[in-house]
Structure formats: C-alpha cells, structure tokens
Amino acid sequence: MTRLFEDSEIPLAPGAVVLREFASGEELLPLIEAIAVAAPFRHLVTPGGHTMSVAMTNCGRLGWTSDRKGYRYSPLDPETGLAWPAMPEAFTRLAREAAERAGFPGFAPEACLINRYAIGAKLTLHQDRDENNYDHPIVSVSLGVPAVFQFGGTKRTDPLKRVTLYHGDVVVWGGEARLAYHGIQPLKEATHPLTGACRLNLTFRKAG
Ligand code: MD3
Ligand code: FE
C-alpha cells in the first residue's frame, strides 16, 4: 500500500506538518538549562501593559523581546545587556532536519525563542509577524507537559482547530500556515518525568 504520509508525519493544515516524537528531551533539556543560566526566563510586558503568563528567554544571534514600546528582535538581552547565548549545534541541526522533512531545505534559523509554561499559563491567539520574510518557515518543538494548541486562518475570526502537542513533537509552519492565528490554552495540571509541572516550547525563526 502506498501512503501519502508516514504515520508520524501528520498534516495539520496546508503548510503545517507535525513530526511526532522527532525531538529528544534528554538531549535538549540540559541545553535549555544552560541557556537559562546565562539568560534567565522572564515574564515580558506587552505593549498593552500586560505581563505575560509564559516565561521567555532566547538563544541565537537575535532574540524576541517585548516591552511597553513594542515587540522586536534584538541582538542583546535587555535584562543582562549581553548577547543572547549562542544557539547550540544540536538546536540548529534539529530545526534544519525538521524543516527539510517538511519540504523546506536549507533552513538556517538565527533566533530561537524559548517559552516556559507553568500550570495555568497560556498564550493568547496571535500571529507571528515580527519577522521580515514569511517565506521561511517557523519550526516549533514541544517538551514536557502536553498542551492544547489552537490555530485558525489569517483572520482572527476564522474558525479554530485544536490539537494537543506532546513531548517531542515538532511542528513546521510554512507556506500558507505561516501567518495563521494561533495560541496555547491554559496548561492543565500534569507532570512530566523530565520537566515536572512544566511545558517548554522552542520556536526557531529566521528573523531578518
Ligand atoms: C503557527 N508559541 O512563540 S508553538 C510563539 O507553544 C508561539 O509556545 C506557541 O506561538 C507555544 O509565537 C506555539 C507553534 C507555533 C509557533 C509559531 C507559529 C505555531 C505557529 C507561527 C506561525 C503559525
Ligand atoms: Fe506564535
């Protein structure tokens, strides 16, 4: 029998592919811990004055940050005044291999945003529009406690679909999925053997 997709490669929407269990938590989690020593997780303030429930940090040449003045990519961590920690080779390789599997060869991210969700933390429906070139995909990696991800179309009012993202899942968002509205519902009470009562998400981006 010929199949269009492997069982582990699930098309979510046109341009979006889930690669189940593509990432290794054992490999990635110690690297995230080391990044957070140099660039601690922090709760950013939005331009509207809300403090985000998700804690964030970055690695790579550029990092995503927010304050009362707006959202931007910055080469310096505003908290420490230092460059963000370098992107580990294992991160770059994982992002490139996942993108290639989804049909985007040669993906070379320069920014990796690291989101940390405690129980109850959420990410309101939004588009990722702070990058300069939407031809590049975004690669996301989920670790730890599962979360309900919701996504729609390019209008906030488009109908939403929901999918649970589990430890090790990698999703590649390219093509027409790149500008889809998306968010994370409040994290439900649970623990994972490698992360405890916490979810981590990496998003690899080509910012410039
Ligand atoms: C669809 N992060 O950091 S990952 C974000 O789980 C973000 O922390 C969520 O949304 C998280 O901006 C969702 C899945 C994801 C990431 C980026 C996307 C989906 C996307 C960009 C465009 C379309
Ligand atoms: Fe996003």
Side-chain angles (χ1 to χ4, degrees):
M1 185 182 108
T2 53
R3 285 175 303 183
L4 269 174
F5 304 101
E6 301 288 329
D7 289 340
S8 59
E9 295 179 15
I10 304 152
L12 259 191
V17 181
V18 187
L19 307 171
R20 297 278 189 208
E21 294 180 74
F22 194 84
S24 159
E26 281 86 351
E27 182 184 28
L28 299 177
L29 288 166
L31 297 170
I32 296 171
E33 271 178 45
I35 290 163
V37 172
F41 282 102
R42 80 289 308 262
H43 294 271
L44 294 171
V45 175
T46 65
H50 298 285
T51 299
M52 298 180 76
S53 60
V54 178
M56 297 180 169
T57 187
N58 293 273
C59 67
R61 194 172 66 70
L62 293 172
W64 187 86
T65 185
S66 172
D67 60 23
R68 285 308 301 247
K69 288 177 279 180
Y71 307 123
R72 75 192 80 82
Y73 282 95
S74 165
L76 301 182
D77 176 351
E79 204 70 31
T80 64
L82 303 172
W84 298 103
M87 189 152 354
E89 178 55 39
F91 281 26
T92 317
R93 193 186 327 119
L94 171 66
R96 190 197 336 109
E97 289 175 356
E100 172 146 21
R101 189 75 79 89
F104 297 94
F107 181 55
E110 64 226 335
C112 174
L113 172 63
I114 308 175
N115 293 335
R116 188 184 67 192
Y117 295 75
I119 305 306
K122 64 176 165 56
L123 197 59
T124 306
L125 210 62
H126 66 279
Q127 288 174 303
D128 288 21
R129 303 189 54 144
D130 301 323
E131 303 75 26
N132 290 322
N133 185 339
Y134 305 135
D135 295 338
H136 299 289
I138 289 181
V139 173
S140 78
V141 178
S142 294
L143 296 169
V145 168
V148 180
F149 175 77
Q150 52 183 12
F151 65 99
T154 54
K155 296 198 297 289
R156 189 180 285 279
T157 51
D158 287 338
L160 298 177
K161 289 186 188 166
R162 287 174 185 79
V163 63
T164 301
L165 296 177
Y166 296 93
H167 180 79
D169 286 351
V170 177
V171 191
V172 181
W173 307 88
E176 63 180 88
R178 177 63 185 77
L179 285 172
Y181 273 91
H182 59 278
I184 294 282
Q185 293 186 356
L187 198 73
K188 286 181 263 185
E189 188 98 42
T191 62
H192 184 279
L194 293 181
T195 63
C198 164
R199 171 177 186 263
L200 290 156
N201 179 267
L202 309 177
T203 47
F204 293 96
R205 299 138 188 275
K206 188 117 179 95

